[in-house]
Amino acid sequence: MDTSISINKLSKTYGKTAVLKEVDLQVAGGEIFGLIGPSGSGKTTLVKMIVGIDSPSGGMVEVLGKQVPNLSLLQDIGYMAQSDALYPELTGRENLRFFASLYKMNQAVLKERLAYAADLVQLTDELGKKVAAYSGGMKRRLSLAIALVHDPQILILDEPTVGIDPELRLSIWNELMLLKRQQGKTIIVTTHVMDEAEKCDRIAMVREGGILATGTPDELKAAYGAVDLEGVFLQAGRGAQ
Amino acid sequence: MRILALIKRIMLQLLRDKRTMALLFFAPLIVLTLMYFFFNGDNENPRLGVVGGTELLTVALENASIDVVPYSEADSQTVVEDGLDGLLEVNDGGFQVTLENNDPGTSRALLMQVTQAAAMQGGAGVSASIEAEYIYGDAETEFFDVLGPILVGFFVFFFVFLISGIGLLKERVSGTLERLLATPIRRWEIVFAYLIGFGIFAIIQTIIVVFYSIRVLEMVMVGQVWHVIVINLMLALVALSLGILLSTFASSEFQMVQFIPIVVVPQIFFAGIIPLEGMADWLQNISRIMPLYYAADALKAIMYRGEGLADVSSNLLALATFAAVFIFLNIIALKRYRKL
Ligand SMILES: Nc1ncnc2c1ncn2[C@@H]1O[C@H](COP(=O)(O)OP(=O)(O)O)[C@@H](O)[C@H]1O
Ligand SMILES: [Mg+2]
């Protein structure tokens, strides 16, 4: 597969603290790529810069061969932020429809996509409720529906399954794998849960603004002689110090 | 299309927020009504033109702390052009006083002092022969009538500033602004959607406040109502664009409220509630950067002196310039999130 996302010596500093340190990363088209790392390691900062809603202090990001930020590129990216960015005064349907109408889509397709996205996250029956009355998990699901409502080629999901019960979590993962397999979508997922990392095609271990190791879960386990990814993480962390 | 979706969403959100609706539409009416009952006359240092009369009269007037400006010939036009508070004409022992009456408090005090000075000089019984004429308003003009146009402008400015500022701030704090910028929307589309979405409410508010002031509070209204509305709309546009611009520098609703004493309150002082004439030059210059100063000046001209939009075109131009600059800065300020 050709390269979908290419990150080159990407750095970000806030004041004097370096949050990302010359990160290099290649994500192939049609793979599920996991960014795994503890809280505060720089995952959110990294994905925001892939989307183009935060500007790098150094280096650059290319998505689908175009340099970020690029307005037309945003039509091809579905972004789910770590904190739910929703309008509590509006209903779930109004939120979903509002975000959908910001993309190029004709009315018939839009209607279809609204139904599909709501169904995928099992929110169809709750769409009439105001978001203020949603639980944390429901908000998370609505955010995910918004991220894929316009059928983007690339999905960037920042901790998508936090606060979602295990059963729904499993069905969301199955759907993500289906999207990858059937439609060749590229999916970037950040998580700090190791069992989710196992489901990714490839993962990058992020720590303190740098990438410790990249590879398939099995490659990494073999390389570090660990039985699970938790072990890989500890090994890789020791090696870096 | 995108901009329409955004406008629709902003309006829907506002309509669902009952408290904000009340703040926008009823609060100005309540405060205006209170002001109506509270305010009455006030004092100022008067400048009096004098035609004829003796040296003795001049001394008597100056002793009453009136600035005497001698003329060989003058009429009501002179009063307006030379910025006098009044004109005293002495002929055949009779006194004719012309009062500018832009500030009824000043007029009343001036008339009283002139009467006293004349009585001292010419003996008792003179007061009966003094005839007073008012250029603007009449003897019944109250302080509130002059204050009114300023207050109308102020409330439009204040409430639109606060509500639009907090509107965009909420979007910033909740992360939805960042989320919006992850869609192909353009920065200017966001700024204009905010201007239009909130602008529609500002139009309704302006119309309610203007009609309430004129019909219910019976504020003096010599000029055209729609001229008053045009000026208030320009002012609302300035307030809107300034509100959303300053929300960039606030990280909570409380911080937005902190802008009120810095940005909003000083404007009242420079809008003419306290007469600017008595202020130091540097203070008067500061008034030139206050949007409310231009709006209040124009509103006073139309509501109280019956002038038209053409007479206040420089004020309108100043307001339009403020709005254009703030709108431009808003579009730039969003670069903080996305460079494009
Ligand atoms: N706007 C900001 N200003 C200053 N520091 C920030 C800002 N955003 C993030 N950081 C810091 O950058 C680091 C990485 O944050 P983040 O990317 O959110 O990590 P993660 O998503 O892996 O939990 C953290 O130490 C965080 O405090
Ligand atoms: Mg994060």
Side-chain angles (χ1 to χ4, degrees):
Chain A
M1 271 285 184
D2 50 330
T3 304
S4 176
I5 296 165
S6 166
I7 297 169
N8 237 310
K9 290 207 177 351
L10 191 70
S11 302
K12 178 72 182 179
T13 53
Y14 286 112
K16 277 189 186 137
T17 37
V19 175
L20 288 181
K21 301 159 193 163
E22 303 214 332
V23 171
D24 288 303
L25 200 65
Q26 312 290 320
V27 178
E31 71 174 343
I32 298 183
F33 193 93
L35 290 169
I36 323 296
S39 170
S41 55
K43 305 181 296 293
T44 297
T45 310
L46 180 57
V47 294
K48 273 187 190 174
M49 271 182 287
I50 298 173
V51 179
I53 49 175
D54 202 348
S55 41
S57 313
M60 70 164 201
V61 179
E62 264 184 26
V63 177
L64 300 175
K66 292 178 201 151
Q67 190 175 342
V68 172
N70 181 310
L71 271 184
S72 64
L73 204 52
L74 289 168
Q75 177 78 26
D76 300 317
I77 296 178
Y79 171 58
M80 175 177 177
Q82 180 173 355
S83 54
D84 298 300
L86 302 165
Y87 300 102
E89 305 90 339
L90 307 185
T91 65
R93 182 176 293 106
E94 286 163 347
N95 269 281
L96 190 55
R97 182 182 289 275
F98 165 66
F99 281 105
S101 58
L102 299 177
Y103 295 94
K104 275 192 231 101
M105 238 188 300
N106 69 42
Q107 283 301 311
V109 174
L110 183 107
K111 229 177 140 191
E112 212 173 281
R113 293 296 305 178
L114 290 179
Y116 162 81
D119 183 56
L120 179 77
V121 295
Q122 299 173 22
L123 267 185
T124 309
D125 295 335
E126 323 271 3
L127 279 186
K129 271 195 201 163
K130 291 226 178 97
V131 165
Y134 275 22
S135 70
M138 285 160 76
K139 286 187 199 159
R140 219 63 209 119
R141 280 140 66 192
L142 183 59
S143 298
L144 179 59
I146 289 171
L148 42 81
V149 73
H150 60 289
D151 200 12
Q153 188 53 37
I154 296 172
L155 278 173
I156 295 174
L157 313 176
D158 199 354
E159 311 221 2
T161 55
V162 171
I164 296 184
D165 62 83
E167 207 174 326
L168 186 57
R169 184 143 88 185
L170 191 68
S171 85
I172 286 174
W173 267 100
N174 287 340
E175 192 64 32
L176 291 181
M177 289 183 194
L178 211 66
L179 284 172
K180 177 196 81 167
R181 227 175 308 123
Q182 294 185 339
Q183 303 176 29
K185 302 223 187 276
T186 307
I187 302 170
I188 293 188
V189 177
T190 77
T191 181
H192 55 251
V193 186
M194 291 302 164
D195 72 330
E196 289 198 341
E198 295 275 5
K199 296 182 172 137
C200 299
D201 296 318
R202 287 199 310 137
I203 53 179
M205 303 219 149
V206 188
R207 191 157 146 171
E208 287 167 11
I211 290 183
L212 295 179
T214 317
T216 67
D218 288 336
E219 277 171 12
L220 290 177
K221 276 184 257 183
Y224 288 92
V227 285
D228 55 15
L229 286 174
E230 203 108 20
V232 174
F233 211 92
L234 291 173
Q235 287 287 333
R238 268 184 219 119
Q241 273 165 7
Chain B
M1 270 333 281
R2 275 194 298 253
I3 201 166
L4 274 184
L6 202 50
I7 292 170
K8 208 174 118 190
R9 193 217 81 213
I10 290 167
M11 294 187 68
L12 196 59
Q13 265 181 304
L14 264 180
L15 281 173
R16 296 249 169 98
D17 187 350
K18 299 285 177 281
R19 231 229 284 250
T20 301
M21 287 280 104
L23 188 65
L24 202 52
F25 296 133
F26 294 115
L29 305 189
I30 291 165
V31 185
L32 269 173
T33 310
L34 278 176
M35 293 282 197
Y36 172 73
F37 289 119
F38 279 142
F39 274 99
N40 254 316
D42 202 24
N43 290 341
E44 206 199 308
N45 247 358
R47 258 161 61 85
L48 181 71
V50 176
V51 179
T54 58
E55 191 70 38
L56 214 63
L57 177 67
T58 309
V59 172
L61 287 170
E62 276 172 345
N63 280 345
S65 71
I66 295 169
D67 293 348
V68 174
V69 188
Y71 286 92
S72 55
E73 207 177 3
D75 54 19
S76 58
Q77 198 63 30
T78 322
V79 175
V80 177
E81 277 168 8
D82 294 2
L84 301 176
D85 291 297
L87 176 70
L88 174 65
E89 288 165 287
V90 187
N91 39 36
D92 311 324
F95 297 88
Q96 162 79 34
V97 181
T98 307
L99 296 166
E100 192 225 18
N101 206 24
N102 213 1
D103 180 341
T106 311
S107 294
R108 215 169 288 155
L110 182 62
L111 185 59
M112 212 167 74
Q113 285 159 335
V114 171
T115 310
Q116 279 170 359
M120 273 166 59
Q121 198 248 339
V126 172
S127 69
S129 69
I130 292 188
E131 275 180 51
E133 203 176 88
Y134 296 84
I135 294 178
Y136 302 124
D138 53 39
E140 301 300 308
T141 304
E142 285 180 39
F143 186 50
F144 183 73
D145 291 323
V146 187
L147 190 64
I150 301 171
L151 286 180
V152 168
F154 173 72
F155 286 123
V156 167
F157 185 88
F158 177 73
F159 287 104
V160 171
F161 169 83
L162 193 61
I163 287 167
S164 65
I166 287 184
L168 189 64
L169 181 81
K170 258 166 66 185
E171 188 131 20
R172 253 175 235 290
V173 175
S174 69
T176 50
L177 182 62
E178 192 175 68
R179 183 63 190 77
L180 270 184
L181 286 162
T183 75
I185 201 161
R186 286 163 205 277
R187 283 181 286 127
W188 68 263
E189 287 178 312
I190 296 179
V191 173
F192 277 84
Y194 260 82
L195 292 177
I196 297 167
F198 278 95
I200 289 168
F201 288 93
I203 290 172
I204 299 168
Q205 187 213 38
T206 303
I207 291 172
I208 292 176
V209 170
V210 168
F211 275 91
Y212 184 82
S213 305
I214 295 167
R215 296 271 182 275
V216 182
L217 300 184
E218 298 182 322
M219 216 175 259
V220 167
M221 180 65 212
V222 190
Q224 303 257 351
V225 178
W226 74 270
H227 289 178
V228 174
I229 291 177
V230 166
I231 291 168
N232 275 307
L233 285 183
M234 277 314 285
L235 184 63
L237 188 65
V238 175
L240 246 167
S241 46
L242 181 62
I244 61 178
L245 180 63
L246 288 185
S247 77
T248 313
F249 306 106
S251 54
S252 66
E253 297 190 9
F254 181 59
Q255 287 191 358
M256 194 65 209
V257 170
Q258 288 170 343
F259 279 122
I260 293 171
I262 302 166
V263 176
V264 181
V265 173
Q267 305 227 34
I268 314 176
F269 300 129
F270 290 100
I273 288 181
I274 300 160
L276 277 172
E277 291 152 32
M279 289 186 194
D281 281 351
W282 66 271
L283 270 174
Q284 294 199 30
N285 285 335
I286 291 181
S287 71
R288 301 290 184 270
I289 57 160
M290 303 274 173
L292 205 56
Y293 163 82
Y294 297 95
D297 196 44
L299 287 173
K300 236 168 112 172
I302 288 172
M303 292 177 78
Y304 190 59
R305 296 200 294 273
E307 292 170 23
L309 281 184
D311 300 305
V312 296
S313 56
S314 62
N315 287 323
L316 276 175
L317 184 70
L319 290 175
T321 310
F322 276 114
V325 170
F326 293 151
I327 290 169
F328 177 72
L329 290 178
N330 267 307
I331 298 173
I332 300 295
L334 284 180
K335 272 196 178 178
R336 188 167 85 179
Y337 296 90
R338 193 179 73 194
K339 284 266 158 63
L340 277 173

